[in-house]
Structure formats: structure tokens, C-alpha cells
Amino acid sequence: MIGEEASPGRVERLIRAIPEGAVLRGVFVALLVIAGSIAFLDYRQLAEATADRERISRTEPMPLARPEPGDQVRPYLPKTIPVAPDRGVPSLPGWDGPVDGEAMAERMRFVAGPDGAISAIGRIEIGTAGDFRDFLASPEAAGARTLYLHSPGGAVDDAILMARELRERRLSAMVPADGYCASACPLLLAGGLTRNAGEGAWVGVHQVYALPLSDVSRDVDRSIAGVQETIARCQELLVAMGVDPAVWIKAMQTPADSLYVLTRDELIAFRMVRPFPDDTSFIGPPAPPALPVPTLSVAGDGAADPASSDSSG
């Protein structure tokens, strides 16, 4: 019959069967779930950011188990050192101050010790390569033969310049027993004409990463390109210094907030430890002049910023 309404379908009948209050309650519950999820995500992001700030700013040593083969990844603290349960205090010629805490958080300092020893302790920052060059030119460094390292790393570009300076002057490099050389520091170690690491020394690597140091908007493509260029410079340095660049694979596999600590066998296999100078047939031609530091800088604790040049670490 014209005008007669069609019988409601099954879906419509189900909808009509739902009490109005149930619909409102369902909407309310859904909104609560959404709000709770957003709050949880915000809390998790805040907690992660807080934990990362604490990790980056921490200057107190953190007790960590000594790395063993197959168990070599440890947290990376850019301003302090790990302390194994049985870890001793490194002996740094000429240095009579503390070897942890604030000493590691400050800009790298250089002191002369007996028998041609020089000790370097602290972070590698922008301009540290210039400080090192000036120190080596001073009367205090006359007769220098070996650089003792105790550093959490820092600016990659400065570490590369310092490594080239070491090799040009034919100086050796050493991480003392129970010493610490992390992040960009192994690049400096690689510059030694001969290289060694004492018992219990931690020599660790990890990824280069970008660190914003200004309010200028980040250019992602430029950041990625800058990091890749820095990785290439690191590998170029290792090859020029007679170190197996395969060690950088370990670095690239390790997140920036962690550290891959090389075993003694790995240090020898990768030629990070080398008790005798290599002949030129292995090293190849002399290292070319250092590339100018780009506007995009990277640190081995490791960081790059498209608008400035500095480290993490």
C-alpha cells in the first residue's frame, strides 16, 4: 500500500533495541579510554625524556658489571665513567686530582708527566683540538712521547683533528689500566703511532647521532647527510691510521645511549691495540690535511646539529 513504511531491517532493529542510556555510557567510556591512552603516552614520553636528561647530565659514576665476551653493551653516560665492582683507579702521569665525577664532565685538560708522558682527562669539546695543539707547542710538552687517555668522548671532528696531530708528531696513545675511552675517544686513540690499553680499561664505541644545539628548525635530510659524512670521515681516519674500519660496524650497531665495550681480543683484532708502529706499506700514504669542520657538527657521544658544531657524546 502506498505510504506504508517498510519493515525495519535487522541492523536497524538492533540499534532501536539499545537503550538510549547505554549509547551515552558507551560514548563516555570510549572517551575515557582515549583520554587515558593519551595521558599514558604523554607520561611515557615525559618519563623517557626525564631519564635521558638524567643520563646525559649525570656526573656520579655508575656501578656496572664488568663486560664479558658476549655481554659487552653498557649504558653510555657522556659526563662520567662506569665503575665495575672490582674497578680500580687509573694512574694518569702528572695528574693528581680526581679521575671521575666533575673531572670527566669538564672540558679535556692536558698535563705533562715524567718520561715524556702526557695525560688527557675530560670531554672532547669544540676547540679541544686547538687546546691540544697549543699544549703540544708549549715548553711543558717538550719531549712528549705518549698520550694517556681517560675520556667519555665528545666532539668527533675535534677527536679526528687530534688523532691526526698525534700521528703527525709520531706520538703513541695509551688507555691506562682501569681507564675509560668511549664514544669519540677511540678515534683519538687510533691516532697513536703505537696504541695500548691496560688491564681493565674500557674502550667503547657507539653510533654517531644528531644533537640540536640551537633553536633553528632541524633539516632532517641535511642532518642525515651530515651524519653520513661524519661516519665516512671516521672510517677514513681509521684506515689512514692502520685500524680496521670494521670496528665501526660495532659502533653503528650500538644505540647512542649505549656503549659497546671492546674485549681485549677485539682491540687486538681491530688493531686498536698495536704495540709496534706499522710500516707505510700497511698504513698507505700520509693522511691528507684535515677537512674543514662543516657547519653541521657531530659528536661521538655522538652528535650533529645542522646549525652549529658540537657534541653530545
Side-chain angles (χ1 to χ4, degrees):
M1 181 181 296
I2 297 176
E4 184 178 352
E5 294 185 3
S7 301
R10 176 178 298 180
V11 175
E12 186 177 351
R13 289 198 302 271
L14 289 174
I15 293 174
R16 290 182 179 182
I18 299 174
E20 285 190 27
V23 174
L24 294 175
R25 284 195 297 271
V27 171
F28 179 71
V29 169
L31 291 175
L32 281 180
V33 170
I34 293 172
S37 300
I38 293 173
F40 172 75
L41 292 175
D42 288 345
Y43 172 79
R44 188 171 68 176
Q45 291 176 351
L46 178 61
E48 290 175 351
T50 300
D52 198 52
R53 282 196 300 270
E54 291 176 353
R55 180 186 65 82
I56 291 173
S57 62
R58 180 185 180 117
T59 57
E60 295 179 4
M62 175 181 287
L64 296 171
R66 184 181 292 274
E68 300 291 344
D71 178 29
Q72 297 160 245
V73 178
R74 295 292 181 270
Y76 173 63
L77 305 170
K79 293 186 177 181
T80 189
I81 62 175
V83 181
D86 55 349
R87 191 176 183 83
V89 177
S91 177
L92 298 164
W95 179 266
D96 57 2
V99 296
D100 54 16
E102 295 297 333
M104 293 293 276
E106 294 177 358
R107 186 186 184 101
M108 181 174 276
R109 288 166 285 177
F110 307 95
V111 294
D115 302 322
I118 295 173
S119 291
I121 182 171
R123 284 182 51 77
I124 302 171
E125 298 184 353
I126 291 177
T128 299
D131 298 342
F132 184 51
R133 197 162 43 244
D134 292 343
F135 179 83
L136 290 177
S138 70
E140 186 180 358
R145 292 189 300 177
T146 304
L147 180 67
Y148 286 74
L149 296 169
H150 190 50
S151 169
V156 165
D157 290 314
D158 279 70
I160 290 175
L161 291 172
M162 294 167 73
R164 294 193 185 282
E165 187 79 21
L166 264 185
R167 185 59 59 91
E168 181 179 334
R169 294 175 179 267
R170 298 184 66 80
L171 301 180
S172 294
M174 170 78 177
V175 182
D178 295 311
Y180 186 57
C181 183
S183 192
C185 179
L187 294 172
L188 175 51
L189 173 64
L193 183 66
T194 67
R195 307 173 287 278
N196 209 342
E199 180 68 26
W202 288 30
V203 180
V205 295
H206 64 175
Q207 293 172 356
V208 169
Y209 66 92
L211 177 68
L213 298 175
S214 69
D215 293 331
V216 177
S217 298
R218 299 282 301 279
D219 183 323
V220 175
D221 289 339
R222 188 180 175 196
S223 289
I224 293 174
V227 169
Q228 290 175 331
E229 290 170 4
T230 300
I231 292 170
R233 289 200 301 276
C234 292
Q235 293 173 322
E236 180 184 43
L237 174 79
L238 295 174
V239 171
M241 299 302 155
V243 175
D244 188 341
V247 70
W248 215 246
I249 295 175
K250 299 295 185 184
M252 293 299 94
Q253 291 173 334
T254 306
D257 60 357
S258 300
L259 195 71
Y260 181 89
V261 183
L262 298 160
T263 65
R264 181 73 183 180
D265 288 344
E266 287 175 326
L267 288 170
I268 294 171
F270 289 130
R271 303 173 66 88
M272 290 296 298
V273 163
R274 182 68 179 164
F276 305 105
D278 284 308
D279 58 37
T280 54
S281 64
F282 180 86
I283 297 177
L291 296 174
V293 177
T295 55
L296 175 63
S297 163
V298 181
D301 19 90
D305 176 48
S308 63
S309 184
D310 188 26
S311 66
S312 69

